[in-house]
Amino acid sequence: MNASTLARHSRRALDFSLPAVMVGTYLFVIAGSPAGAWLARPALLAYLAVQWPRLPRIARILLIISACLALGVLGFHDDGVALSLRALDSACFLATFVTSLSMLRVAAQHSRLVREAGAALIQQKPTWRYPILSLGTALFGIIINVGVLGLFGAMAQRSNTLKAAHGHVEIQQARERRMMMAILRGFALAPVVSPLGVTMAVVLASMPYLRWADLAPAAIPVGMLFFLVGWLLDYLQRPRQLAVLMPTDKPSASLAPLGRFTLLAGLVTASVFLIGALFDLRLPVAVLVACPLSAWAWLAMQRRRLGGGIGFGRASGTLVRHSRLIFGANRNEVAMLGGSAFAGVVITALIDQQALAQWLLASGLHGVLAAVVAMFLVLLLAQFGINPLVSVTLAASLFPDTRVIGLEPVVLACALMSAWTLAVISSPFTASLTILSDMIKRSPYEVAWRWNGVFFVLMLPLVTLWLYGLQYWLTR
């Protein structure tokens, strides 16, 4: 076997290193097998090495920082080996989490129901377009994550022709802005409402003493506020002067496909909670099991229509054929999540948390004010390209118990989740804004700061008031 052939076979073997990470993580996290950890750790390092040339600069910088931290603790920390392994285990877990979710995207890409429900969302009357499109995007985002932006953005553009706008460019531009804002803000709801989202996994992994049941009553009202303020602004900022140019409007499309998709999304979410309850698993761990099984069952239902059988064999074949796409497409998320998790574990261990708590108390930066400052810092760093993955992971990992600085843990978690949501619509560097701005050929700065500026300025004080009220309610 010559060198080129050996290199090709080695490369193909390394392409499937991420499945090895998943298998090892399952064995370690669910079965408690130390051998699983030793399978996952080198497999993740191999995957990142193979994908390194394709990673964006920010991901490479984060991984380099993580590598420097690892070398530092190995050389100067008394328990450096154990700390590095624990940090690597955290990175493996989040890499498995995001890959498990991505399998649902494969099923969604092959689903006629997704296309029909998406088309129905776009074809609504202007009065109801924002609420239906925003909530629909949030719902689809639970299943296909950032893929919903490309799906709905493309549909919105196809439906927003000059003919549909009665030949008026102004109407076309107004529709584009209103639909894209509904899509973006709907997608931004995921960090505070989705039990299957990456945000929830990061917060729960960094604050393991919390559960989703603790966070939901605090975070979901922020999502409701986010939705209602967005809807109100859409109504108040509507171009009234253009209404006279549109004497008639098409009837709204039937929402029956959306109803069927809502049922499907509900079943996927319910399966996560069911598996968690049956096997006594924390929510992020239950996602690792439920999402791949749900994707497989969904594909089997689709493939059954092709004639005979129950479709499980065809579903398995589809997942195998798309495996390289699934695992390669996750490189950015795996690198960012893995690097953030690794750095968070190491930095937290190196900080003298008692001394930090005393300093915060002495400086007056304690209680709910600490949560508000953390929220503002996450938002500020996001404006300079620091992904919330990094800042939220570090902030959530600082204290084993935030009560030492007079702050309820749920309040800090809610502040960080809210900051993530606001960063999605305000930072020109987020993937969501990059995708939509490229699609509509506009500057991400215009979309983030001009189109969303008023909304952002309104939401900041409202969320801050909610955090103060939440702290008061939990400590009274």
Side-chain angles (χ1 to χ4, degrees):
M1 183 181 295
N2 59 38
S4 61
T5 304
L6 179 62
R8 186 170 65 253
H9 285 299
S10 299
R11 174 61 183 274
R12 291 195 64 184
L14 289 173
D15 281 340
F16 291 91
S17 53
L18 195 53
V21 177
M22 297 180 69
V23 172
T25 301
Y26 285 134
L27 292 173
F28 180 59
V29 173
I30 299 174
S33 169
W38 285 109
L39 171 63
R41 293 162 184 162
L44 178 61
L45 296 177
Y47 175 81
L48 293 174
V50 170
Q51 300 297 338
W52 180 268
R54 304 177 186 86
L55 292 175
R57 183 174 59 180
I58 184 65
R60 293 186 190 183
I61 293 173
L62 186 56
L63 291 177
I64 290 172
I65 292 173
S66 298
C68 292
L69 286 170
L71 292 174
V73 296
L74 287 173
F76 301 101
H77 196 278
D78 293 338
D79 201 20
V81 174
L83 177 57
S84 297
L85 291 177
R86 189 164 70 248
L88 194 53
D89 289 338
S90 180
C92 289
F93 176 81
L94 288 176
T96 302
F97 182 91
V98 73
T99 308
S100 299
L101 286 178
S102 70
M103 292 186 175
L104 286 171
R105 297 183 212 172
V106 176
Q109 288 170 357
H110 291 78
S111 173
R112 184 175 64 186
L113 175 60
V114 169
R115 294 190 293 273
E116 291 175 349
L121 283 173
I122 296 296
Q123 297 168 15
Q124 298 301 313
K125 291 183 178 180
T127 305
W128 292 101
R129 187 179 292 138
Y130 183 94
I132 293 175
L133 190 53
S134 182
L135 293 177
T137 305
L139 179 66
F140 276 65
I142 293 175
I143 301 295
I144 57 178
N145 203 346
V146 74
V148 71
L149 298 174
L151 175 67
F152 282 7
M155 288 182 178
Q157 285 187 306
R158 285 198 297 267
S159 68
N160 190 32
T161 63
L162 274 175
K163 180 179 178 181
H166 299 270
H168 296 282
V169 175
E170 297 87 350
I171 293 176
Q172 187 183 35
Q173 291 175 342
R175 276 181 170 174
E176 177 185 73
R177 176 171 175 168
R178 294 179 72 181
M179 285 195 290
M180 291 304 169
M181 286 300 92
I183 292 170
L184 180 62
R185 293 170 187 168
F187 177 73
L189 287 173
V192 290
V193 302
S194 173
L196 311 185
V198 171
T199 308
M200 191 69 69
V202 168
V203 171
L204 292 179
S206 303
M207 307 174 74
Y209 43 86
L210 292 178
R211 291 184 173 270
W212 184 81
D214 302 319
L215 297 182
I220 290 178
V222 175
M224 295 173 60
L225 191 62
F226 199 91
F227 166 72
L228 291 174
V229 171
W231 189 4
L232 177 63
L233 272 183
D234 177 76
Y235 176 77
L236 294 176
Q237 295 177 336
R238 71 193 188 280
R240 299 175 181 83
Q241 71 279 8
L242 300 180
V244 295
L245 302 177
M246 297 183 61
T248 60
D249 206 352
K250 293 182 180 179
S252 298
S254 170
L255 290 175
L258 180 61
R260 294 195 296 273
F261 182 81
T262 303
L263 177 60
L264 174 64
L267 290 174
V268 173
T269 306
S271 71
V272 174
F273 288 101
L274 179 62
I275 287 176
L278 288 177
F279 299 100
D280 193 25
L281 301 174
R282 298 185 75 245
L283 186 67
V285 179
V287 170
L288 303 186
V289 180
C291 285
L293 290 177
S294 298
W296 185 50
W298 189 5
L299 276 170
M301 292 174 61
Q302 296 171 27
R303 293 300 179 260
R304 187 180 179 184
R305 300 193 191 101
L306 298 179
I310 57 177
F312 288 141
R314 297 188 183 96
S316 301
T318 300
L319 286 174
V320 170
R321 286 194 303 274
H322 288 80
S323 58
R324 294 188 69 180
L325 176 62
I326 295 171
F327 303 129
N330 285 331
R331 66 179 71 93
N332 294 352
E333 292 170 290
V334 168
M336 293 293 293
L337 277 170
S340 301
F342 190 97
V345 171
V346 173
I347 291 174
T348 302
L350 296 178
I351 291 175
D352 186 337
Q353 294 170 345
Q354 185 176 2
L356 177 61
Q358 291 174 352
W359 179 81
L360 290 173
L361 290 170
S363 66
L365 191 60
H366 55 84
V368 70
L369 180 60
V372 173
V373 170
M375 178 178 70
F376 274 80
L377 282 176
V378 171
L379 288 171
L380 179 63
L381 291 172
Q383 307 310 312
F384 294 96
I386 305 300
N387 196 292
L389 278 173
V390 180
S391 51
V392 167
T393 301
L394 293 175
S397 304
L398 278 180
F399 295 104
D401 188 350
T402 59
R403 293 183 183 91
V404 297
I405 57 170
L407 174 63
E408 287 296 314
V410 170
V411 177
L412 176 61
C414 184
L416 296 176
M417 294 164 70
S418 301
W420 199 318
T421 287
L422 290 170
V424 169
I425 58 103
S426 67
S427 171
F429 301 99
T430 57
S432 53
L433 268 166
T434 300
I435 290 170
L436 283 187
S437 60
D438 286 348
M439 190 175 296
I440 61 178
K441 309 301 181 188
R442 292 182 181 271
S443 166
Y445 297 94
E446 179 183 9
V447 178
W449 296 343
R450 184 179 174 186
W451 289 9
N452 267 316
V454 175
F455 178 72
F456 180 80
V457 169
L458 286 175
M459 283 302 303
L460 265 182
L462 292 174
V463 173
T464 300
L465 287 173
W466 169 249
L467 294 177
Y468 273 94
L470 184 61
Q471 173 79 1
Y472 172 78
W473 174 261
L474 293 174
T475 56
R476 68 188 179 91

